[in-house]
Amino acid sequence: MVKLRPYRPGDLDVIQRRPQDYSCDEMDEQTKLLGEIDVSFTIEVDGVPVAIFGVQKLWTGVGHAWSIISDDVRGHGLMLTKTCHKMIDDYAEANKMWRIQVTVQSDLTENKRWVEAMGFAYESTQKWASPDGKDLDTFVRFYHGRINT
């Protein structure tokens, strides 16, 4: 059974990360903080956390969406996509956001296709931006009359 619930401390510790997704202690600690202080959710399959995601308010009108997804979510991708898309839209509306952005490691084509499926558009590449010096692509969605250009 698939269940959406608020993030709880410890959820990140049980997620079986996908091998292609980069992780380091610094990123894990930041994600734990985001999960505990911002809007964040956990998706469980049969009682096991398989994805966590949320939005961090950067400043008035601008938020940063993030996610950590396990391979164990396979078979539930459409539900994951629709759930994340709705949560981001609801957050943007409730918090009067005009911009939500995400960053994706530039060489992870599958991850970039996923954020594009949720309506995000490529904006730019940040050179040497990850903790291990890899490039990150920024994707954005605009709300409240702003147009993706």
Side-chain angles (χ1 to χ4, degrees):
M1 183 165 106
V2 178
K3 178 182 172 185
L4 175 69
R5 63 165 172 78
Y7 172 86
R8 291 192 298 250
D11 287 346
L12 181 62
D13 298 330
V14 298
I15 296 260
Q16 297 298 313
R17 293 175 186 268
R18 300 179 313 159
Q20 69 269 31
D21 291 337
Y22 180 76
S23 177
C24 67
D25 291 342
E26 183 179 351
M27 290 176 76
D28 286 350
E29 288 306 311
Q30 180 68 19
T31 301
K32 286 177 186 178
L33 287 173
L34 289 174
E36 293 168 12
I37 64 172
D38 287 308
V39 175
S40 56
F41 298 92
T42 297
I43 293 179
E44 293 180 345
V45 174
D46 298 326
V48 177
V50 296
I52 57 175
F53 59 95
V55 179
Q56 173 193 21
K57 180 180 178 182
L58 298 177
W59 44 78
T60 301
V62 180
H64 180 83
W66 57 273
S67 64
I68 295 181
I69 301 168
S70 165
D71 269 338
D72 296 333
V73 82
R74 296 236 182 252
H76 304 283
L78 182 59
M79 182 275 308
L80 173 71
T81 302
K82 287 182 176 184
T83 300
C84 289
H85 191 280
K86 180 173 179 2
M87 185 278 301
I88 292 167
D89 284 350
D90 290 350
Y91 179 89
E93 184 64 33
N95 293 281
K96 297 180 175 48
M97 294 282 155
W98 51 75
R99 175 189 173 99
I100 302 287
Q101 62 192 38
V102 300
T103 55
V104 178
Q105 191 172 301
S106 297
D107 61 347
L108 296 179
T109 304
E110 179 183 21
N111 296 13
K112 294 192 298 188
R113 281 196 309 251
W114 183 62
V115 299
E116 288 172 334
M118 289 189 291
F120 286 87
Y122 171 82
E123 182 181 60
S124 64
T125 298
Q126 302 172 51
K127 295 292 187 184
W128 300 89
S130 73
D132 63 344
K134 293 187 178 178
D135 295 348
L136 299 175
D137 290 344
T138 299
F139 291 78
V140 296
R141 286 190 60 199
F142 296 106
Y143 297 84
H144 300 288
R146 272 84 173 177
I147 307 281
N148 281 351
T149 57

